[in-house]
Amino acid sequence: YKLVGDSVQRNHGYVDKYIGDAVMAVFGAIGSTDVMAREWQENCVAAARSVQALAPVFKLNSVDPVLKKHFQQLTSEQLRNVGKIRIGLESGVVEIARFDRGNESEVTFIGTPVNIASRILAQAMPGEVWAGANLHANALKTADVSESREVEYKNLPGRFQAYLLGT
């Protein structure tokens, strides 16, 4: 969590929540209002690239020692992918929602961009960063994309373009 949280904060994002081993972050919802949407999108991409750049060090310093200490029975493919981080990104207007449960309440961000980012994440392979069409159209240069594909997202009508960011 620290690796992702630090990268998000360094790039002016806000960690909304931790969901299992996933992190949901939002850019542009908190902080200075003079930052333009394109800058927020670029900050989002910069945070994702920072996470990917730091992932090998995270694996070496944090994951490998645990694997050696506890000698987990993993296949060679699983070992190759341990510590590689999958990232799904999308941009667009989201809503801040408050959910009350008795004496507890939770604030989170909801909307189609959140759903698309989640679906993109689910389709990414370890070590990949994929972006949705809105982020691609507004903040990514053609040189940043190494592959694109049309995908379907569960519970969202139609097919959508997704873009693999180059390293």
Side-chain angles (χ1 to χ4, degrees), residues 30-157:
I30 306 295
S32 174
T33 57
D34 61 346
V35 178
M36 301 304 294
R38 184 178 173 100
E39 288 180 66
W40 295 330
Q41 294 163 346
E42 290 170 351
N43 290 345
C44 171
V45 173
R49 289 207 164 120
S50 172
V51 167
Q52 294 298 39
L54 295 171
V57 174
F58 164 74
K59 181 181 185 309
L60 182 68
N61 294 334
S62 299
V63 176
D64 288 348
V66 172
L67 290 176
K68 287 177 186 173
K69 183 177 180 181
H70 298 288
F71 188 72
Q72 303 223 353
Q73 298 292 328
L74 299 174
T75 67
S76 59
E77 182 178 344
Q78 288 172 318
L79 284 171
R80 272 193 307 275
N81 291 329
V82 168
K84 291 185 178 179
I85 299 169
R86 298 176 301 124
I87 299 175
L89 308 172
E90 182 57 306
S91 66
V93 176
V94 296
E95 295 180 40
I96 299 173
R98 181 181 180 148
F99 298 99
D100 293 319
R101 293 177 305 274
N103 293 335
E104 298 178 8
S105 67
E106 175 184 347
V107 175
T108 191
F109 297 86
I110 60 173
T112 300
V114 174
N115 294 332
I116 290 175
S118 174
R119 300 325 188 270
I120 290 171
L121 171 64
Q123 296 182 24
M125 296 301 292
E128 292 182 339
V129 178
W130 282 84
N134 288 339
L135 186 63
H136 175 263
N138 295 314
L140 300 177
K141 299 172 187 70
T142 304
D144 292 335
V145 175
S146 63
E147 179 185 336
S148 68
R149 73 170 71 134
E150 195 173 79
V151 294
E152 288 186 48
Y153 300 128
K154 179 181 169 186
N155 298 327
L156 293 174

